[in-house]
Amino acid sequence: MKLETIAIHAGTQITDSYRPAVQPITLATTFEHHEDSVIYSRATNPNRIALENVLAKLEHGQAAAAFSSGNAAGMSVFQALPPSSHLVAPDDMYHGLRHLLTSVFKGILEVDFVDMTQSENVAKAINKKTALIWVESPSNPLLKISDIRAICTIAQEKQIPVVCDNTFATPVFQNPLLLGASIVMHSTTKYLGGHSDILGGALITKEENELWERIKLVQTTGGAVPSPFDCYMLSRSIKTLPYRMKGHAEHAGIIATFLQNHPQVEKVYYPGLLDHPGHTIAATQMTGFGGMLSFLVKGGANEADTVISKLQYFTNATSLGGVESLIERRAASEGPDSKTPQNLIRVSVGLEHLDDLLEDLDQALKQ
């Protein structure tokens, strides 16, 4: 099956004798004992089985595990590692997962944050205790590009697993498992959910090995799993993912070029732009450049806030990946420890009419 067909059909598993076209929601928490029975919904559920099937197929993996949030998915990986393990992670790692490592896992795991746009920095950071390399490409919010193939080659020589956060790119535009990664992570709250109304996370593995078994143990025993309704909603949303992503990427590319040529914009971060430092690598590992971009307004935080306040069609809100355009001054959301420039505005480009979005940005940027 091709991507669009997988998205529509792999998340539907019909067992109902009436043979509905759409899989029903199974709300039962417990099930009758019989051979191959689904026993208890914390361990698994018919809707979660269907969701994990489509996720695995979209990312070319052997198996998937769905979670109640993206942070729960990431945390399950960290919990699966032996105490005192060492990790190598990006210096601009998504702040929610970075905070997990520096607070919840402080004194339990060791981590070095490095600039992964230079793969040799990863090699230098590896030591005898390194148990995992975490990659995020494109990164949030600076849209940095890491050479996933090169990093995975370094990791394979040391037999270290690589987990790649693929939330920004989605399986429509990038498949890290095909580039050498061991596990792919998603915040399914974002593009896979696509409508800003589902909280979720997911991991997809290349092979069902010892690390994966420990992750599954954390999932089923820890119980940070999505509800049957959330699984149903997510499977439904994934059906339109390939077509939504094409629209997001088309709009983002045009808006990035518009912003790049605007006199009130200092810099634009979008890997589809030819002058982006990671464009060449992105073009070799991505089939599209996604719907996320960031830009620096000339001035500081006040000027960035003023631009955002003038917008009509961009909602000033955290998160991303919905059909509606979202915008925020990212440093304000990340808090006082943020290393993001105070005048950086992050945009999740939606599916409104492109002319409306361009006109809105133009009027907001006028002094």
Side-chain angles (χ1 to χ4, degrees):
M1 286 190 291
K2 304 298 184 184
L3 181 75
E4 293 82 356
T5 309
I6 290 171
I8 291 171
H9 290 286
T12 300
Q13 297 185 8
I14 304 299
T15 58
D16 193 309
S17 60
Y18 289 103
R19 307 302 299 165
V22 176
Q23 182 175 349
I25 304 172
T26 304
L27 295 174
T29 57
T30 189
F31 300 82
E32 181 180 326
H33 290 291
H34 60 80
E35 188 177 356
D36 298 324
S37 171
V38 174
I39 296 171
Y40 189 61
S41 61
R42 172 166 48 78
T44 192
N45 165 277
N47 295 104
R48 198 155 93 234
I49 291 170
L51 171 61
E52 290 175 346
N53 184 62
V54 69
L55 289 169
K57 285 183 167 55
L58 286 172
E59 284 287 14
H60 304 273
Q62 276 194 6
F67 294 85
S68 55
S69 70
N71 261 30
M75 187 165 69
S76 75
V77 177
F78 306 148
Q79 288 174 314
L81 299 174
S84 299
S85 291
H86 174 256
L87 292 79
V88 182
D91 59 359
D92 62 337
M93 185 181 196
Y94 164 62
H95 79 104
L97 291 173
R98 183 189 180 108
H99 186 57
L100 267 177
L101 287 171
T102 58
S103 58
V104 176
F105 289 92
K106 184 178 181 180
I108 301 171
L109 299 174
E110 300 172 13
V111 58
D112 279 324
F113 296 102
V114 304
D115 178 5
M116 286 197 177
T117 60
Q118 305 297 318
S119 55
E120 58 268 26
N121 292 337
V122 176
K124 292 175 184 176
I126 292 171
N127 63 43
K128 292 185 293 184
K129 296 167 65 177
T130 304
L132 187 77
I133 296 171
W134 189 279
V135 181
E136 182 182 334
S137 184
S139 72
N140 179 7
L142 294 175
L143 284 296
K144 289 184 180 180
I145 299 297
S146 299
D147 189 333
I148 298 173
R149 286 190 186 91
I151 292 171
C152 289
T153 298
I154 292 167
Q156 286 163 4
E157 291 173 357
K158 302 285 187 178
Q159 296 184 315
I160 301 169
V162 174
V163 178
C164 183
D165 184 341
N166 202 33
T167 299
F168 270 25
T170 82
V172 176
F173 294 137
Q174 185 171 265
N175 297 116
L177 297 185
L178 299 183
L179 300 172
S182 311
I183 295 173
V184 172
M185 177 260 175
H186 284 280
S187 171
T188 56
T189 307
K190 310 305 192 294
Y191 284 111
L192 274 73
H195 296 78
S196 304
D197 56 6
I198 309 165
L199 190 68
L203 298 169
I204 303 97
T205 187
K206 182 186 294 186
E207 57 183 51
E208 298 183 73
N209 53 20
E210 184 181 352
L211 175 60
W212 184 251
E213 290 306 314
R214 292 200 298 270
I215 289 170
K216 286 291 290 182
L217 180 64
V218 172
Q219 180 206 31
T220 58
T221 306
V225 294
S227 70
F229 181 73
D230 286 345
C231 292
Y232 167 87
M233 290 284 283
L234 189 51
S235 295
R236 177 222 53 180
S237 295
I238 286 172
K239 293 177 190 292
T240 61
L241 176 68
Y243 293 97
R244 285 189 284 109
M245 291 310 300
K246 291 171 187 175
H248 286 300
E250 179 185 354
H251 284 184
I254 294 171
I255 288 175
T257 301
F258 164 79
L259 291 170
Q260 191 178 42
N261 294 316
H262 199 286
Q264 294 307 116
V265 174
E266 185 179 305
K267 186 175 181 62
V268 180
Y269 302 93
Y270 184 69
L273 295 174
L274 294 178
D275 65 350
H276 186 285
H279 173 76
T280 301
I281 293 172
T284 68
Q285 63 189 23
M286 302 177 75
T287 57
F289 301 108
M292 294 299 300
L293 62 89
S294 296
F295 65 99
L296 301 179
V297 174
K298 287 186 177 177
N302 290 337
E303 285 74 14
D305 287 338
T306 298
V307 169
I308 291 172
S309 71
K310 293 180 181 179
L311 291 163
Q312 299 176 39
Y313 303 130
F314 293 78
T315 302
N316 183 8
T318 293
S319 200
L320 57 103
V323 294
E324 68 288 331
S325 292
L326 300 179
I327 196 164
E328 68 176 343
R329 187 167 65 82
R330 188 60 186 164
S333 296
E334 292 180 344
D337 295 331
S338 174
K339 296 181 180 179
T340 300
Q342 292 296 319
N343 61 333
L344 182 138
I345 294 176
R346 191 188 74 176
V347 188
S348 173
V349 181
L351 300 180
E352 300 91 346
H353 196 285
L354 181 60
D355 291 349
D356 290 330
L357 297 180
L358 289 169
E359 289 172 10
D360 198 18
L361 284 166
D362 190 39
Q363 64 82 23
L365 284 164
K366 286 180 180 175
Q367 291 182 314

